[in-house]
Amino acid sequence: MSYVIVKYLHFIGILVLASSLMVEHVQLKADMSSAALRKVALIDLIYGISAGVILVTGLLLAFAVGKPSAFYMANPVFHAKVTLFVLIGLLSIHPTLFLLRHRNSTAASISVPKSIIMVIRLEMLLLLIIPLLAVLMARGIGV
């Protein structure tokens, strides 16, 4: 039963992460009001929390309630999947720092650098690859 609960929370975390990243992308504009930027910062917080849920539940699945950890550790597809997750996490630092710096701004208009929007697009692109790797793992590829 614990496997089912952890797996369910893992899936919910993935759905919330993907959804919040998409909403963040749609809401970001080149010029934003401080109120709009605060809303995006809140969405980014939800994104970060969901990444934490995915990380914790993923570790539980790999080392506590899922298949034996040897199954995961010997699988290069699993390592590629984790590497992409970590890369997405590292990429998300840049937009998060920008949002944290400007979330309490009183300026009428805040200019969002194009690099922030491009990083979020890159995160979304990389996020599309992770489910493919999960399916390959489930089919026994890489073992």
Side-chain angles (χ1 to χ4, degrees):
M1 185 61 173
S2 59
Y3 173 78
V4 172
I5 292 168
V6 172
K7 191 75 165 174
Y8 176 74
L9 291 174
H10 193 68
F11 283 140
I12 295 298
I14 292 166
L15 292 172
V16 171
L17 181 123
S19 301
S20 59
L21 188 59
M22 183 61 70
V23 170
E24 190 171 338
H25 178 261
V26 168
Q27 294 296 315
L28 273 176
K29 306 290 181 231
D31 288 309
M32 300 183 69
S33 69
S34 57
L37 197 75
R38 274 191 295 281
K39 288 179 185 175
V40 173
L42 178 61
I43 294 164
D44 192 66
L45 174 65
I46 293 168
Y47 173 77
I49 292 168
S50 65
V53 168
I54 292 168
L55 178 64
V56 169
T57 56
L59 289 171
L60 286 171
L61 288 168
F63 297 108
V65 297
K67 294 177 177 145
S69 61
F71 170 82
Y72 296 104
M73 295 304 112
N75 192 330
V77 177
F78 173 75
H79 290 281
K81 188 174 138 184
V82 170
T83 300
L84 279 179
F85 183 77
V86 169
L87 179 59
I88 291 168
L90 292 172
L91 286 169
S92 75
I93 292 170
H94 180 53
T96 298
L97 290 177
F98 174 82
L99 293 168
L100 288 174
R101 256 186 256 120
H102 294 88
R103 73 172 184 247
N104 294 324
S105 175
T106 57
S109 179
I110 299 164
S111 180
V112 177
K114 184 80 171 165
S115 64
I116 301 293
I117 295 168
M118 294 308 292
V119 165
I120 290 174
R121 288 177 182 168
L122 179 58
E123 288 178 65
M124 290 190 307
L125 178 65
L126 294 175
L127 191 60
L128 284 174
I129 300 169
I130 292 176
L132 171 64
L133 296 175
V135 169
L136 292 173
M137 277 181 47
R139 298 286 298 164
I141 307 289
V143 179

